[in-house]
Amino acid sequence: MGSVVLSLDAELGWGFHDFESPPVDRVEAGRRGWSVMLELLEEYDVPATWAVVGHLMLDSCDGTHADHPAPPGWFAPERTEWRNRPDLRFAPALVEALFDSDVDHEFASHSFSHVLFGDPETDRELAAAELDRSMDIAADWGRTIESFVYPRNDVGHRDVLAEYGFGVYRGKSPTHDGVRGLFDSIVRSRSMLVEPAVDEYGLVNVPASLFLFGFEGPARTAAESVWADPMVVQARLGIDEAARRDGVFHMWLHPNNLTDPRDDERMRAILEHLDRRREETDIRVETMGETARRLENGRTVDGRVPSVEYDATELSSTPSD
């Protein structure tokens, strides 16, 4: 029997502050989507890994962060277009709501300010600063962090991650999103399960299986008009496969993907199916941290602990933000 993992990249404005023309609907939907997802996960009692940008846990700042080795202009939006938008920069109330949830969610890191760890301009000092500040802020809240989700899934500086005491991260997906992913999973019956593995730094890589908002726009509308929401179909297939076989089905999204009620219904349909399958079978619903601990305890297929090796192509960024 397999398991299902759900992770969320909670970032508000920080997911787009380096965009010249950020998607307005997504930027404005972050707080709404955060609250909706907390309510849905509580309704269906589904624990998830919430990877939170550390800056959101601050109440205020000077907008300069002079002691942070970020590239010139990295924090400029805080002093310009975001100057009067604290709702995009800070979210202590939303983080508090996450901690107060009746569901035992995992609190994870999404860096301090959404720096891309795989970018050639992100050196070791910058990566360390992002982790250091995130952990310090979490400590101020009385929290520790075990899991890390790379901004834009841009994997890099895993050695620094290990040095700062992290134990698990979400790795690059071996499957595909969008039309190609739909074709692979439905037409070619390609598996969406992934196998967590321990890398050379002792970190557990829990790869992503499916980005739940990878099939949008006119294609989604057309598919729904003649068939069904393609992402719900894929998610159900992955959940059903995990109920039959060993392996992990790892779904992920951003709260800001929930821009309207249609998106809410997508997530409700997926969670409802997961809840039903959990009642009918022995399928596990677990967080990234729980998956890692299970792996480290040797409770894997055939009792073995798989390892993973990387090459440069495997560490390239994925298109999802």
Side-chain angles (χ1 to χ4, degrees), residues 277-314:
R277 295 298 282 153
R278 181 172 51 183
E279 292 181 356
E280 298 169 345
T281 70
D282 294 328
I283 189 174
R284 294 181 298 265
V285 178
E286 56 190 5
T287 64
M288 286 173 53
E290 289 171 336
T291 300
R293 289 191 292 276
R294 177 168 55 82
L295 182 68
E296 291 168 343
N297 289 335
R299 290 182 280 126
T300 59
V301 179
D302 300 327
R304 63 189 178 86
V305 178
S307 60
V308 62
E309 296 181 356
Y310 287 94
D311 59 33
T313 59
E314 289 177 322

Side-chain angles (χ1 to χ4, degrees), residues 99-235:
F99 293 155
D100 288 344
S101 174
D102 291 335
V103 181
D104 190 17
H105 295 301
E106 177 186 20
F107 170 64
S109 175
H110 198 38
S111 79
F112 172 69
S113 63
H114 211 262
V115 162
L116 304 186
F117 277 56
D119 191 310
E121 295 185 3
T122 300
D123 59 18
R124 183 184 183 84
E125 181 187 12
L126 177 54
E130 285 283 298
L131 299 180
D132 186 62
R133 281 156 178 75
S134 295
M135 299 185 79
D136 281 351
I137 294 170
D140 290 341
W141 282 63
R143 300 282 170 166
T144 58
I145 311 173
E146 177 181 11
S147 299
F148 188 80
V149 171
Y150 284 98
R152 297 191 192 133
N153 299 304
D154 200 358
V155 178
H157 296 289
R158 289 177 291 126
D159 56 330
V160 182
L161 214 64
E163 287 179 14
Y164 272 82
F166 287 88
V168 55
Y169 64 96
R170 190 179 71 203
K172 181 181 177 183
S173 174
T175 59
H176 302 286
D177 294 320
V179 176
R180 183 175 177 184
L182 191 65
F183 179 83
D184 284 347
S185 60
I186 296 177
V187 179
R188 299 175 58 191
S189 298
R190 180 175 177 178
S191 174
M192 286 186 285
L193 301 188
V194 296
E195 186 175 10
V198 180
D199 71 11
E200 66 268 35
Y201 300 104
L203 300 169
V204 178
N205 172 16
V206 184
S209 296
L210 181 68
F211 175 46
L212 293 176
F213 286 82
F215 194 99
E216 304 306 304
R220 173 184 177 182
T221 301
E224 290 178 340
S225 67
V226 298
W227 186 34
D229 184 333
M231 300 311 301
V232 172
V233 172
Q234 280 188 279

Side-chain angles (χ1 to χ4, degrees), residues 36-55:
V36 169
M37 281 305 305
L38 279 178
E39 292 172 2
L40 286 172
L41 293 171
E42 193 160 308
E43 179 179 349
Y44 291 99
D45 192 24
V46 172
T49 295
W50 286 74
V52 179
V53 168
H55 194 289

Side-chain angles (χ1 to χ4, degrees), residues 13 15-24 27 77 81-82 152:
F16 307 102
H17 81 290
D18 55 334
F19 282 35
E20 289 188 10
S21 300
V24 176
V27 172
E81 60 262 35
W82 283 8
R152 297 191 192 133

